[in-house]
């Protein structure tokens, strides 16, 4: 688990974690990066496009509904959350570029600070084997889906390098949901000397996405392909890079310097119901540096210690234009955020099998806004601070098993978008011919960070030959939860919340020809106090079940079936509008032929009509308007893979 910064094995962790292996990724029916997380207990997947091109992931009831993210996502340890809204574009890489996925489930602010209240996902790219290697995969399917990915790699005694790229496109399941996405990723690591290593990474992407928007009831069931917002689209260009220097200063002491930069340019047309359509441009730039030292003595009674600090500077330039008024500028804001942190973490062996983990991180964030129109919201809380301690006990059991208990404090700072978004909302509640529209701004500079105390108890253990259990239970109490106040049409710190639940996964390999996996999560996330006391937080499903079975046959191929069931989910804070329960069945096949692997999948085999997400807004008369994002119907895809030389997957 490189996401821990210590290079730990699962059995050494005093926290809940999952690793998705290359085999699980290859044999899965989904061809998206975020789809690989479907098997992780507690991970809730949803899609805003109906074509699996705007995928989002939430965990443990921290529901950001696609507007933000409580998960920090890394590519080879480089953060990729954008600084404007902390959102994640899961299309920065194609699934074929992945080696494995590491998921630290639960609070990780003691390691990474902001954005990691619900966990950390580290996307580890393909690692080259010995000598030269190359790979390629291509696929096509229904709804105009097509594309491919490929790469080449080299590895010798001193250097390893890889270069890969992808292009994917589709017309989309729904009207006005065409998607074009292309990008590349390069990685190089070399030993400058026996004690000094240098690594570099560069990622580029161009994404053009039409956005069909949500639909009211019953349209989302009866005619899910139609569009609600035929003008909406997003055109995003992303460039992100990183440089890492590792120095073995002494036999037990390693020094690491990590420097990264990223930039995103956005050109979009966005409709907010009932406020109307605006054109938008934004530019974000971020620079980040981290220095840390890791002392790992060979003498086991001595603790392993990591300490260090980081600093980041990010800028956002945002402009809004009204196409109905000659594309005149109606909103503008330039924001800067400077953040810094210091952290320390120690792992001490108390007994032959018992270890103690303890650490703390202190974060400081300062934001400022320069508003050319002098209309951006301002307030007294541009300076934010957080302290994130952790302590945990891990008991190592025979056979790479372990049991653990841990406590951690985590925080999620309000995003720059939530604090300073200059978008004007033109609201006309009495319709045409009445009073002129009035202007609202939903940003709120008085927002405080969401903070919480989290407790985890769990075990990873073998139940017997061919059976493996991953079991975790957790409890978290959050305060100053950031939500949307529909009555006043703005972001605010709403009620406290309580999160508790059970996450269980069983892996089965009783026979060589048949393997399987079952995961279940019970997620109880409720408002604690206020008008919605005791009610389930909107968009958080209370029960999720995932079942996967893979049959390997005598011709060296495999057939995989996956079943996902989600139930007890509401789209409003009053629990009046329910998101219907759904069950989706997927089938996949993999078959090698003459050095080429053929694969195919049928998604949503029974053409289930369901929605993965919804929300409630106001119509033009000020009445509640529930809206739903319909999921993709039955779809097919076929493809092939080939590789030459040695590779890590």
């Amino acid at each position: 688990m490189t996401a821990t910064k210590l290079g730990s094995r699962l059995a050494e962790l005093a926290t809940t974690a999952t690793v998705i292996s290359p085999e699980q990724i290859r044999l899965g029916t989904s061809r998206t990066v975020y789809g690989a997380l479907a098997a992780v207990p507690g991970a809730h997947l949803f899609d805003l496009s109906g074509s699996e091109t705007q995928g989002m992931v939430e965990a443990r009831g921290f529901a950001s509904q696609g507007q933000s993210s409580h998960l920090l996502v890394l590519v080879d340890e480089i953060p990729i959350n954008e600084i404007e809204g902390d959102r994640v574009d899961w299309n920065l890489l194609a699934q074929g570029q992945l080696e494995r996925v590491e998921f630290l489930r639960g609070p990780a602010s003691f390691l990474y600070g902001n954005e990691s209240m619900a966990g950390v996902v580290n996307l580890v790219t393909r690692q080259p084997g010995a000598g030269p290697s190359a790979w390629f995969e291509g696929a096509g399917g229904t709804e105009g889906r097509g594309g491919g990915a490929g790469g080449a790699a080299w590895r010798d005694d001193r250097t390893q390098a890889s270069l890969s790229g992808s292009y994917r496109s589709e017309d989309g399941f729904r009207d006005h949901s065409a998607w074009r996405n292309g990008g590349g990723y390069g990685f190089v690591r070399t030993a400058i000397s026996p004690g000094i290593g240098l690594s570099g990474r560069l990622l580029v992407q161009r994404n053009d996405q039409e956005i069909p928007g949500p639909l009211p009831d019953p349209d989302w069931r009866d005619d899910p392909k139609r569009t609600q917002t035929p003008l909406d689209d997003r055109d995003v260009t992303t460039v992100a890079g990183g440089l890492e220097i590792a120095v073995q200063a002494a036999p037990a002491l390693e020094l690491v310097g990590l420097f990264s930069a990223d930039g995103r340019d956005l050109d979009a047309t966005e409709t907010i119901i009932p406020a109307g359509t605006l054109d938008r441009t934004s530019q974000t730039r971020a620079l980040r540096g981290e220095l840390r030292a890791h002392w790992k003595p060979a003498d086991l009674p001595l603790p392993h210690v990591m300490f260090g600090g980081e600093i980041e500077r990010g800028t956002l330039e945002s402009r809004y234009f009204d196409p109905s008024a000659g594309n005149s500028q109606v909103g503008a804001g330039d924001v800067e955020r400077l953040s810094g942190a210091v952290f320390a973490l120690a792992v001490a062996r108390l007994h032959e099998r018992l270890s103690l983990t303890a650490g703390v991180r202190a974060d400081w964030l300062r934001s400022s806004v320069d508003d050319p129109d002098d209309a951006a919201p301002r307030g007294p809380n541009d300076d934010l601070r957080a302290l994130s301690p952790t302590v945990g006990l891990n008991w190592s059991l025979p056979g790479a098993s372990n049991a653990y208990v841990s406590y951690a404090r985590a925080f999620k700072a309000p995003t720059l978008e939530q604090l300073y978004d200059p978008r004007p909302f033109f609201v006309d509640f009495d319709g045409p011919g009445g009073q002129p529209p009035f202007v609202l701004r939903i940003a709120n500079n008085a927002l405080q960070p969401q903070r919480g105390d989290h407790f985890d108890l769990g075990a990873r253990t073998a139940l017997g030959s061919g059976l493996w259990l991953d079991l975790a239970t957790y409890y978290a109490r959050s305060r100053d939860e950031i939500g949307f106040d529909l009555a006043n049409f703005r972001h605010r710190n709403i009620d406290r919340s309580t999160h508790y639940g059970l996450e269980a996964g069983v892996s089965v390999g009783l026979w060589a020809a048949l393997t399987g996996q079952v995961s279940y999560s019970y997620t109880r996330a409720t408002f604690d106090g206020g008008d919605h006391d005791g009610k389930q937080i909107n968009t958080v499903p209370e029960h999720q079940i995932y079942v996967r079975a893979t049959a390997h046959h005598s011709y060296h191929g495999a057939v995989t079936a996956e079943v996902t069931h989600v139930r007890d989910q509401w789209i409003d804070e009053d629990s009046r509008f329910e998101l219907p329960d759904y069950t989706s069945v997927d089938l996949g096949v993999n078959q090698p032929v003459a050095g080429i692997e053929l694969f195919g999948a049928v998604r949503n085999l029974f053409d289930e009509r369901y929605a993965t997400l919804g929300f409630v807004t106001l119509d033009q008369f000020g009445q509640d308007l529930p809206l739903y994002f319909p999921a993709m119907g039955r779809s097919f895809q076929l493809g092939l893979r080939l590789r030459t030389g040695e590779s890590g997957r």
Side-chain angles (χ1 to χ4, degrees):
M1 290 286 294
T2 56
T4 63
K5 299 186 179 183
L6 293 174
S8 307
R9 296 185 302 114
L10 278 176
E12 299 170 341
L13 295 179
T15 188
T16 311
T18 299
V19 175
I20 303 171
S21 70
E23 186 79 353
Q24 290 173 301
I25 296 173
R26 184 177 66 86
L27 296 180
T29 63
S30 172
R31 302 312 310 152
T32 65
V33 170
Y34 88 103
L37 276 65
V40 178
H44 173 218
L45 278 56
F46 58 92
D47 173 51
L48 300 175
S49 69
S51 301
E52 298 185 318
T53 57
Q54 281 187 281
M56 302 286 176
V57 183
E58 295 174 348
R60 294 194 169 181
F62 292 96
S64 44
Q65 303 176 49
Q67 303 304 308
S68 180
S69 178
H70 286 74
L71 285 173
L72 177 67
V73 180
L74 317 171
V75 172
D76 291 334
E77 303 175 67
I78 300 295
I80 61 170
N81 297 59
E82 47 94 347
I83 65 169
E84 181 176 12
D86 294 341
R87 287 178 290 261
V88 178
D89 184 353
W90 293 92
N91 297 306
L92 288 176
L93 294 174
Q95 194 187 88
Q97 293 170 282
L98 292 183
E99 169 73 18
R100 68 181 186 276
V101 179
E102 303 172 347
F103 195 160
L104 287 174
R105 294 150 48 200
S109 291
F110 63 91
L111 281 174
Y112 292 98
N114 187 31
E115 302 164 358
S116 57
M117 176 169 266
V120 176
V121 177
N122 186 29
L123 306 176
V124 182
T125 61
R126 283 177 177 258
Q127 304 300 299
S133 61
W135 62 274
F136 170 80
E137 67 176 48
T142 53
E143 318 299 346
R145 182 178 303 166
W154 169 269
R155 181 172 186 170
D156 59 23
D157 293 339
R158 291 188 54 187
T159 302
Q160 64 181 68
S162 65
L163 181 65
S164 62
S166 68
Y167 178 79
R168 293 159 287 165
S169 67
E170 62 177 76
D171 298 332
F173 167 69
R174 300 182 59 196
D175 297 336
H176 187 71
S177 59
W179 177 68
R180 305 290 182 268
N181 186 91
Y185 181 74
F187 173 83
V188 62
R189 176 182 292 127
T190 186
I192 299 177
S193 69
I196 302 177
L198 180 66
S199 302
R201 311 168 180 89
L202 179 64
L203 185 151
V204 295
Q205 182 230 27
R206 177 69 180 271
N207 184 15
D208 188 2
Q209 169 81 62
E210 294 181 345
I211 303 173
L215 292 173
D217 201 16
D219 292 352
W220 74 270
R221 304 172 190 262
D222 300 338
D223 188 14
K225 292 191 174 185
R226 80 175 184 87
T227 183
Q228 176 83 358
T229 54
L231 299 176
D232 284 16
D233 64 72
R234 290 172 61 88
D235 188 344
V236 185
T237 301
T238 301
V239 179
L243 183 68
E244 178 180 328
I245 302 174
V247 179
Q248 197 69 41
L253 179 63
E254 182 185 41
L255 306 178
V256 177
L258 184 61
F259 310 94
S260 62
D262 69 72
R264 287 174 173 84
D265 293 335
L266 167 70
D267 189 354
T269 299
E270 301 174 340
T271 299
I272 305 295
I273 300 171
T277 300
L278 294 178
D279 291 336
R280 179 189 185 196
T281 64
S282 70
Q283 292 183 342
T284 62
R285 304 289 185 265
L287 293 171
R288 177 179 176 270
E290 177 181 341
L291 295 174
R292 65 178 185 260
H294 182 199
W295 186 57
K296 189 174 182 179
D299 190 2
L300 291 180
L302 296 177
H304 295 180
V305 178
M306 179 185 68
F307 60 91
E310 67 178 60
I311 188 168
E312 181 176 9
R313 179 182 179 270
T315 61
L316 163 66
E317 297 179 3
S318 185
R319 302 290 185 270
Y320 285 99
F321 305 90
D322 187 353
S324 66
N327 222 36
S328 59
Q329 182 172 303
V330 294
D334 298 339
V335 185
E336 177 181 276
R337 170 170 279 179
L338 183 66
S339 62
V342 292
F343 54 86
L345 187 70
V347 181
R349 186 68 60 87
L350 303 180
H351 182 268
E352 181 182 359
R353 293 188 177 276
L354 183 65
S355 62
L356 170 70
T357 299
V360 66
R361 176 179 166 124
D363 281 88
W364 166 80
L365 302 90
R366 170 170 289 178
S367 304
S368 61
V369 59
D370 178 14
D371 174 21
D373 296 337
D374 197 29
R378 300 170 183 270
N381 297 314
D382 295 329
D383 236 349
L384 305 174
R385 292 176 171 83
L387 191 68
S388 306
T390 187
V391 62
L393 288 172
N394 182 63
W395 183 264
S396 297
L397 302 172
S401 302
N402 70 308
Y404 57 89
V405 59
S406 64
Y407 160 79
R409 182 177 298 167
F411 80 100
K412 172 71 168 64
T415 68
L416 297 183
E417 192 173 57
Q418 292 168 336
L419 288 169
Y420 304 112
D421 184 11
R423 177 187 177 113
F425 287 77
F426 301 101
V427 181
D428 187 5
F429 283 146
D430 57 3
Q435 295 294 319
F438 61 94
V439 178
L440 293 174
R441 284 184 169 82
I442 67 173
N444 182 359
N445 187 239
L447 290 172
Q448 292 288 334
Q450 179 178 340
R451 309 171 193 266
D453 296 287
H454 302 246
F455 300 87
D456 272 52
L457 174 66
R460 292 176 286 265
T461 183
L463 297 178
S465 178
L467 285 174
W468 187 268
L469 173 67
D470 183 349
L471 181 66
T473 183
Y474 63 89
Y475 175 87
R477 185 94 183 272
S478 291
R479 53 196 179 277
D480 293 324
E481 180 121 2
I482 299 173
F484 189 76
D485 181 0
L486 187 59
N488 296 294
F489 215 68
R490 71 184 317 213
H491 297 292
R492 72 176 180 90
N493 292 112
I494 56 175
D495 312 311
R496 292 174 177 262
S497 65
T498 300
H499 301 245
Y500 59 91
L502 175 71
E503 299 168 351
V506 177
S507 299
V508 182
L510 298 179
W511 304 277
L514 182 63
T515 59
Q517 183 179 2
V518 179
S519 65
Y520 166 75
S521 58
Y522 169 70
T523 306
R524 188 66 176 151
T526 61
F527 295 105
D528 188 358
D531 297 336
H532 313 294
D533 184 37
K535 294 182 177 178
Q536 183 83 346
I537 295 175
N538 44 312
T539 77
V540 177
E542 195 166 334
H543 301 276
Q544 291 188 104
I545 301 173
Y546 171 87
V547 180
R548 175 174 174 171
T550 300
H552 303 265
H553 54 73
S554 57
Y555 295 98
H556 308 290
V559 178
T560 299
E562 295 175 307
V563 180
T564 302
H565 177 71
V566 179
R567 58 176 299 177
D568 298 335
Q569 186 177 1
W570 307 87
I571 66 171
D572 66 309
E573 295 173 349
D574 292 316
S575 298
R576 291 185 295 126
F577 300 100
E578 187 174 11
L579 200 64
D581 304 343
Y582 67 87
T583 301
S584 178
V585 179
D586 307 317
L587 291 178
V589 60
N590 295 71
Q591 180 62 54
V593 178
I596 297 175
E597 182 182 30
L598 304 178
F599 63 87
V602 183
R603 302 276 289 171
N604 194 4
L605 177 65
F606 298 109
D607 203 22
E608 176 95 353
R609 287 283 182 265
Y610 68 97
T612 58
L613 187 71
F615 66 93
V616 176
T617 185
L618 302 176
D619 63 18
Q620 61 179 348
F621 304 108
Q623 302 299 311
D624 287 344
L625 176 63
L627 297 171
Y628 301 82
F629 293 91
M632 184 170 60
R634 184 190 297 114
S635 66
F636 305 85
Q637 64 177 356
L638 293 172
L640 62 86
R641 301 185 184 98
L642 61 89
R643 65 183 185 184
T644 63
E646 297 289 337
S647 85
R649 179 181 166 201

